């Protein structure tokens, strides 16, 4: 029998596998167990003469291998081995959203952001899998080399249970290795809340499971500061916030600082909100007068704030602005499905 890595070996590459082979006989069983008792999976070939473990071995791990084989005369023997993988100096990790136990809206993608640029996207993507009940057709899409998102072809079905499996421990990318194995389970809201803002009609409709809940009068972005078109996703809610135009690159005569803005629902990283704008009371339903946000009366903003949740979609149409960038928050839905799947490293 031959067992690789060799017994008592140290500093083994965390991205390698256990390989076992036998000559003039057959393998009866192979067990590779982490210190602590967790056995790793592996695959025996059709002739029962070789076995290879599945996935990377992981960083700074000690394995005990036990092999039972049978020779040509039917005599069985057992061989054992022990080895340790290295603890690399360069590691990468992924921060993920949603968090375990979260309940999010039907438009919420899974997003993973890495602490280091990923050079081997295919290897890393193979370590990220998604299970859901009911099952969906979905795909990953890379934004540059430090963010990858997963979404279905269409919105999640209400009530879906989703688990992200991260198997990155030992997966090599450039000179760095992953050191994470996580299972992250979250749920989709039991109801599909969808808001659609018409910048030309100065209205916003909110539906639940396709049934109209309310039609609101709005004032969207004025000329030169038009609200983004496209589908955005609720990413944060803040009941009282100070809005400073300098944070979004607006200075001079168009600059502003507004304190105590109520019922602010954030849609983009660049600062698009749906919020109460009582200073625009005469404009709701009539004219667009904001610097890009969607303004509502205090009462309507309170209702909207309490009705929508994180992950719910807000769709803007008929604005004079272009479609929002898909990586500006969680605006992934503005990429068509064929282009989305082409953004996978495994496409």
């Amino acid at each position: 029998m031959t067992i690789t890595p060799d017994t008592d070996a140290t500093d083994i590459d965390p991205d390698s596998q256990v390989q076992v082979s036998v000559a003039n006989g057959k393998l009866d069983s192979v067990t590779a167990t982490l210190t602590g008792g967790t056995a790793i999976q592996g695959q025996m070939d059709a002739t029962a003469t070789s076995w290879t473990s599945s996935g990377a071995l992981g960083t700074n791990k000690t394995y005990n291998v036990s092999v039972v084989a049978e020779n040509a005369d039917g005599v069985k023997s057992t061989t054992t081995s022990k080895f340790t993988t290295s603890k690399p100096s360069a590691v990468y990790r992924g921060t993920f959203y949603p968090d375990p136990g979260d309940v999010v809206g039907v438009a919420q993608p899974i997003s993973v952001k890495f602490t280091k640029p990923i050079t081997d996207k295919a290897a890393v993507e193979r370590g990220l899998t998604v299970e859901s009940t009911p099952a969906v057709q979905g795909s990953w899409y890379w934004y540059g080399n430090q963010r990858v998102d997963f979404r279905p072809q269409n919105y999640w079905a209400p009530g879906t249970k989703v688990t992200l499996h991260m198997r990155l421990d030992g997966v090599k990318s450039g000179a760095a290795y992953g050191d994470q194995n996580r299972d992250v389970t979250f749920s989709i809201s039991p109801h599909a809340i969808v808001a659609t803002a018409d910048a030309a009609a100065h209205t916003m409709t909110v539906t639940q499971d396709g049934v109209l809940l309310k039609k609101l009068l709005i004032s969207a972005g004025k000329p030169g500061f038009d609200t983004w078109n496209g589908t955005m996703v609720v990413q944060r809610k803040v009941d009282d916030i100070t809005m400073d135009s300098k944070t979004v690159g607006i200075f001079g005569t168009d600059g502003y600082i507004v304190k105590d803005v109520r019922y602010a629902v954030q849609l983009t990283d660049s600062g698009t909100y749906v919020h109460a704008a009582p200073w625009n009371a005469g404009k709701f339903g009539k004219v667009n007068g904001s610097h890009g946000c969607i303004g509502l009366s205090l009462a309507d903003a309170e209702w909207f704030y309490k009705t929508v949740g994180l992950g719910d979609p807000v769709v803007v149409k008929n604005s004079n602005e272009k479609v929002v960038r898909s990586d500006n928050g969680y605006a992934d839905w503005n990429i068509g499905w064929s282009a989305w799947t082409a953004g996978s490293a495994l496409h």
Side-chain angles (χ1 to χ4, degrees):
M1 282 177 283
T2 302
I3 302 174
T4 305
D6 295 333
T7 190
D8 297 324
T10 59
D11 290 330
I12 297 300
D13 186 348
D15 200 24
S16 59
Q17 285 77 42
V18 178
Q19 294 181 318
V20 179
S21 63
V22 62
N24 303 318
K26 295 191 299 183
L27 294 171
D28 188 62
S29 66
V30 179
T31 304
T33 306
L34 273 168
T35 297
T38 303
I40 60 173
Q41 300 297 312
Q43 185 68 43
M44 188 90 71
D45 77 344
T47 63
T49 59
S50 69
W51 182 95
T52 304
S53 63
S54 303
L57 291 174
T59 62
N60 196 29
K61 301 290 193 301
T62 298
Y63 285 91
N64 294 280
V65 183
S66 178
V67 181
V68 179
E70 183 178 322
N71 69 13
D73 297 324
V75 178
K76 292 186 178 181
S77 62
T78 301
T79 301
T80 61
S81 179
K82 182 178 182 179
F83 66 89
T84 302
T85 62
S86 66
K87 183 178 181 180
S89 58
V91 298
Y92 65 85
R93 308 204 84 205
T95 58
F96 48 82
Y97 185 80
D99 292 321
D102 280 356
V103 178
V104 294
V106 295
Q108 180 61 58
I110 299 172
S111 188
V112 181
K113 296 180 180 179
F114 295 99
T115 55
K116 284 183 170 61
I118 300 301
T119 56
D120 193 342
K121 295 177 182 176
V124 170
E125 192 175 324
R126 279 192 290 268
L128 300 172
T129 58
V130 177
E131 287 185 297
S132 69
T133 305
V136 298
Q137 179 183 2
S139 180
W140 293 95
Y141 183 97
W142 286 87
Y143 293 109
N145 55 15
Q146 286 188 252
R147 173 181 169 181
V148 62
D149 284 10
F150 178 96
R151 70 167 176 87
Q153 182 173 4
N154 302 302
Y155 292 155
W156 302 96
T160 299
K161 304 297 183 185
V162 186
T163 299
L164 165 65
H165 300 288
M166 302 178 72
R167 295 293 179 268
L168 299 177
D169 190 8
V171 175
K172 188 176 183 180
S173 174
Y177 291 83
D179 67 350
Q180 283 174 293
N181 284 339
R182 293 289 304 271
D183 296 300
V184 182
T185 299
F186 63 94
S187 301
I188 304 302
S189 170
H191 298 289
I193 302 292
V194 180
T196 303
D198 188 327
H202 315 298
T203 60
M204 180 165 63
T205 58
V206 182
T207 62
Q208 178 177 291
D209 301 325
V211 177
L212 180 65
L213 291 179
K214 200 167 186 177
K215 186 175 183 178
L216 308 170
L217 301 181
I218 68 171
S219 180
K222 62 187 178 181
F225 297 94
D226 302 271
T227 305
W228 298 111
N229 274 305
T231 300
M232 292 164 272
V233 175
V234 175
Q235 63 184 90
R236 186 172 72 124
K237 301 201 300 183
V238 185
D239 185 20
D240 190 330
I241 190 173
T242 295
M243 292 189 168
D244 186 340
S245 67
K246 292 192 295 293
T247 64
V248 292
I250 301 175
F251 302 92
T253 57
D254 288 310
Y256 58 86
I257 296 179
V258 183
K259 297 181 179 180
D260 303 320
V261 177
R262 300 295 307 278
Y263 307 119
V265 177
Q266 187 173 359
L267 306 180
T268 67
D269 292 342
S270 63
T272 306
Y273 286 81
V274 179
H275 63 82
W279 53 87
N280 276 341
K283 298 179 180 178
F284 301 129
K286 299 177 181 178
V287 65
N288 292 326
S290 83
H291 285 82
C293 292
I294 297 173
L296 297 168
S297 70
L298 189 63
D300 283 348
E302 180 181 10
W303 179 88
F304 184 79
Y305 183 92
K306 293 179 178 178
T307 300
V308 300
L310 304 184
D312 287 337
V314 178
V315 183
V316 177
K317 62 182 183 179
N318 296 325
S319 173
N320 292 323
E321 184 55 276
K322 60 186 177 181
V323 173
V324 62
R325 278 178 49 131
S326 56
D327 60 348
N328 189 356
Y330 300 118
D332 303 51
W333 303 96
N334 298 296
I335 299 177
W337 184 242
S338 59
W340 182 266
T341 57
S344 164
L346 302 178
H347 177 72

